[in-house]
Amino acid sequence: MIPALVLAMLLAATPVPPVPETTAGVAPSDPALARAHQAAAALTTELLGRLRKELDAGGPAKAIAVCSEVAPAIAARLSRDGLTVRRVGTRVRNPANAPDAFEAAVLARWQQAIGRGVAPQEEDAWVEADGVRTLRVMRPVMTGKLCLACHGQVSSLDPAVRAALAERYPADRATGYREGDLRGAVSVTVVP
C-alpha cells in the first residue's frame, strides 16, 4: 500500500500533460496489436537472457551495463516502421525511462489494483493525440528475485553494485523494491 501512496504522491507533484483521449478498444485480431506483442516479448526475452548471462559471468555490478547500455540498444533495434518499444519505471534510474502521461496513468491504476490484491494485466488502447491515432500497449514488469540484486533494498545491495549505481546514476530512485512489487512496464507505441 505504501508504494502506491508514494507513486500517487509523486505523480500528483509532477506536472504532466493530459492523458491522450482513448478513442476505441483494440480488436484482438488487430495486426498492430500483434506487432506490439511481438516487440514487447522480444525485448523482455532478449533482455532477461542477457541479464542472466552477465550475472553468471560477472555478477550484479557488471550486469548494470546490460540495463543501461544493452536494453536501450535492443529497444532501438526493435523500434522501427512506426513502432516504438521502451521500458518505463515506477521509480526511475535513467530519466529516459520516466513514464509519459499515458504510462503514468496506467502504472497508477496497476498500483491501485495491487493494493486491492489484483495482479496488473496488460493494457492496450487506441488513443488520439495531436490528431494522430496511436496504439498504446503496456505490459507490467514485476520485480523478480533476479531484479533485487540491483533494485532491492539499498542496505542489502553488494557494495560493488552500490558503487556502480552511484557512478552511473547519481540520482537513482530505482531501489527499495521487494520481490513481487510493480517495477514498471514494457511500453509499446504503434503508429499505423
Side-chain angles (χ1 to χ4, degrees):
M1 188 58 131
I2 291 175
L5 179 60
V6 171
L7 179 61
M9 290 171 44
L10 287 172
L11 292 175
T14 305
V16 293
V19 176
E21 182 179 330
T22 299
T23 59
V26 181
S29 61
D30 192 315
L33 184 60
R35 286 184 66 212
H37 285 166
Q38 183 179 22
L43 175 64
T44 303
T45 301
E46 190 170 342
L47 180 57
L48 284 176
R50 294 288 301 269
L51 274 171
R52 284 187 179 110
K53 182 178 178 182
E54 194 59 44
L55 281 167
D56 289 345
K62 298 290 185 183
I64 292 169
V66 174
C67 286
S68 67
E69 298 166 15
V70 176
I74 296 168
R77 188 183 77 244
L78 296 170
S79 297
R80 62 183 186 288
D81 302 324
L83 184 140
T84 304
V85 61
R86 68 191 212 110
R87 300 170 304 141
V88 297
T90 57
R91 298 189 303 265
V92 297
R93 178 164 283 164
N94 179 345
N97 295 338
D100 64 19
F102 178 86
E103 294 159 339
V106 172
L107 290 171
R109 278 196 304 276
W110 286 345
Q111 285 286 34
Q112 291 170 349
I114 290 168
R116 295 188 312 272
V118 178
Q121 300 295 312
E122 179 178 293
E123 290 196 27
D124 53 59
W126 283 104
V127 299
E128 182 88 24
D130 300 323
V132 178
R133 187 170 182 256
T134 305
L135 174 64
R136 302 296 304 264
V137 177
M138 288 188 56
R139 181 173 287 179
V141 174
M142 305 306 288
T143 305
K145 193 170 194 165
L146 180 71
C147 307
L148 297 177
C150 297
H151 293 284
Q153 303 301 313
V154 174
S155 61
S156 67
L157 297 179
D158 182 277
V161 170
R162 286 197 303 262
L165 291 174
E167 182 181 324
R168 281 185 190 253
Y169 303 106
D172 180 26
R173 294 183 15 224
T175 56
Y177 289 94
R178 298 183 191 285
E179 191 171 357
D181 284 351
L182 177 65
R183 172 71 189 93
V186 173
S187 179
V188 183
T189 304
V190 184
V191 180

